[in-house]
Amino acid sequence: MTTKEWARAALSHPAFTGISHAHLGGLIEELAGPWTARCESALHERRGGKRRQQPGAGPKHDLVFTDRLLVTLVHLRTQLPHAALAELYGLERSTITRAIGEIRPLLAERGFAVPDRPGVRLRTLDDVFAYASAEDVKLRIDGTETQVRRPRAHRPGRCAFVSGKKKQNTMKTTTISDGQGRTLWSGADRPGRIHDQTALRTEGIAEQLRLHPRVKAEVDEGYRGLANEFPDQVSASPKKPKGLEDDGAPLTERYAWREMRRRQSSRRICVEHANAEHKQWRPLQSFLGRREHYPATHRAIAGLVSDRAAQRATRRKPSSELVPVSTTAC
């Protein structure tokens, strides 16, 4: 067995890729066409016209598409260095870097799987709110942070990534899930200094709530302003009533307030479970790559996680026939 065949057989194991063999086969079938089309488009632009040779002529790729997808999945799952993957395949590191740079955007653009709706995927907030309105799904919204590299000294905007909560350089991402912790959308990537609510508002969530008055959401204390603006749609943890700080406050009022907070927390904890599924992939624990690659990395991982989460059985029966909506950004 040659080096490439051995590497392909070893790295295709779910322990390296984070997905099953059946899922891997589906990804190969789904992304082979778009990857080939991108390669042909790049060649057409480089030549400045149509091809002058028959298809299949000319130099061959050092890595076929299946191997390119494999090294990208392994890197996303384990954050194994490009040089280590190149050593396994007996190639130059630049070949692996180029392959990951080609496949990662394809994975990021796939969107997020819809439970009980094979073939339908959510790519924008507009898609998510249209789905929630059609299926009467109550959304859970929460933000998560991932440590990233600190910008070099004397660079403009060096303090923009310092998180007041984590006390380190982070990137902040917003996740939306359903009541069973299945990821429906993940995005609004912003530097860690930006507030959770600000990051989501810049994506147009206020406009989506106005367009879909039937959609309801559960949020934490960080989205208090959103809950105040849309009290009939967005539910946040109840504020502590005045007077409970005093030692003489009635115990019944204290226990009632704590019980309301506990119940609200139990309704939105599923989105924390969705974030925990994302954090099982090494790059989302501590991202070591270039910061400009983080949004595509996060969306690629979240999309793969949503594929597996969408297979979990739904506790209710779908209420309507769902069709794909426009993928135009908000």
Side-chain angles (χ1 to χ4, degrees):
M1 183 180 292
T2 63
T3 302
K4 293 180 181 179
E5 292 174 347
W6 176 87
R8 184 185 307 157
L11 296 182
S12 60
H13 193 278
F16 287 103
T17 61
I19 61 176
S20 64
H21 290 293
H23 192 182
L24 176 60
L27 281 177
I28 293 173
E29 183 178 357
E30 176 185 350
L31 298 180
W35 177 77
T36 302
R38 286 197 176 190
C39 289
E40 290 296 330
S41 177
L43 287 174
H44 185 277
E45 184 177 354
R46 194 184 313 162
R47 289 191 302 259
K50 297 181 179 179
R51 64 165 56 246
R52 300 180 180 86
Q53 296 177 321
Q54 293 295 327
K60 303 298 185 292
H61 291 289
D62 291 330
L63 281 178
V64 297
F65 171 74
T66 300
D67 291 325
R68 290 169 181 262
L69 179 60
L70 274 178
V71 297
T72 304
L73 290 174
V74 172
H75 180 68
L76 292 177
R77 176 65 174 176
T78 66
Q79 205 162 214
L80 197 65
H82 296 184
L85 291 169
E87 189 66 24
L88 290 174
Y89 274 91
L91 300 171
E92 296 293 331
R93 183 194 59 80
S94 59
T95 303
I96 301 296
T97 302
R98 191 181 309 112
I100 293 176
E102 292 176 359
I103 303 299
R104 180 171 49 205
L106 294 177
L107 291 172
E109 293 168 3
R110 293 177 63 241
F112 306 91
V114 178
D116 304 311
R117 304 293 183 181
V120 180
R121 304 192 72 86
L122 308 175
R123 293 179 173 84
T124 65
L125 272 179
D126 190 15
D127 296 344
V128 175
F129 276 79
Y131 162 72
S133 179
E135 294 292 313
D136 195 23
V137 174
K138 195 170 189 177
L139 303 177
R140 273 71 174 177
I141 305 174
D142 189 36
T144 183
E145 295 184 69
T146 302
Q147 184 179 6
V148 296
R149 287 182 175 180
R150 186 182 185 186
R152 291 183 179 181
H154 311 299
R155 291 288 181 89
R158 193 180 189 216
C159 297
F161 293 91
V162 178
S163 169
K165 179 180 178 181
K166 298 289 186 179
K167 308 303 181 185
Q168 57 187 211
N169 291 263
T170 65
M171 288 285 289
K172 188 169 293 183
T173 306
T174 303
T175 300
I176 300 179
S177 77
D178 63 2
Q180 296 181 221
R182 298 176 295 192
T183 301
L184 300 178
W185 185 80
S186 188
D189 301 282
R190 298 292 188 275
R193 191 175 182 178
I194 295 180
H195 195 274
D196 291 355
Q197 186 173 226
T198 304
L200 196 55
R201 281 183 179 275
T202 54
E203 292 289 321
I205 188 172
E207 184 64 23
Q208 292 299 324
L209 288 169
R210 294 189 185 95
L211 292 175
H212 302 88
R214 293 180 53 194
V215 176
K216 300 183 182 300
E218 295 279 353
V219 298
D220 62 5
E221 192 66 30
Y223 300 92
R224 168 64 60 186
L226 201 63
N228 293 338
E229 185 177 352
F230 300 95
D232 297 331
Q233 294 178 257
V234 182
S235 173
S237 56
K239 286 185 176 181
K240 191 172 186 178
K242 294 181 179 180
L244 288 188
E245 297 84 357
D246 302 334
D247 295 336
L251 287 178
T252 54
E253 294 184 10
R254 292 186 184 183
Y255 291 153
W257 172 70
R258 291 175 183 175
E259 179 63 17
M260 287 190 294
R261 287 180 62 89
R262 186 195 66 80
R263 291 186 179 184
Q264 199 274 342
S265 178
S266 66
R267 292 194 299 267
R268 59 163 298 277
I269 194 64
C270 49
V271 70
E272 302 281 1
H273 297 161
N275 281 328
E277 283 189 284
H278 302 170
K279 296 286 185 178
Q280 293 176 3
W281 294 63
R282 183 62 183 170
L284 300 189
Q285 298 173 18
S286 179
F287 188 68
L288 303 180
R290 300 173 67 90
R291 290 185 302 279
E292 54 265 31
H293 294 159
Y294 177 80
T297 299
H298 194 116
R299 288 182 66 88
I301 293 174
L304 294 170
V305 171
S306 75
D307 292 339
R308 181 176 59 185
Q311 297 176 2
R312 294 202 289 263
T314 303
R315 303 191 189 104
R316 59 173 181 79
K317 186 178 180 180
S319 60
S320 61
E321 188 65 28
L322 193 68
V323 296
V325 300
S326 173
T327 58
T328 305
C330 301

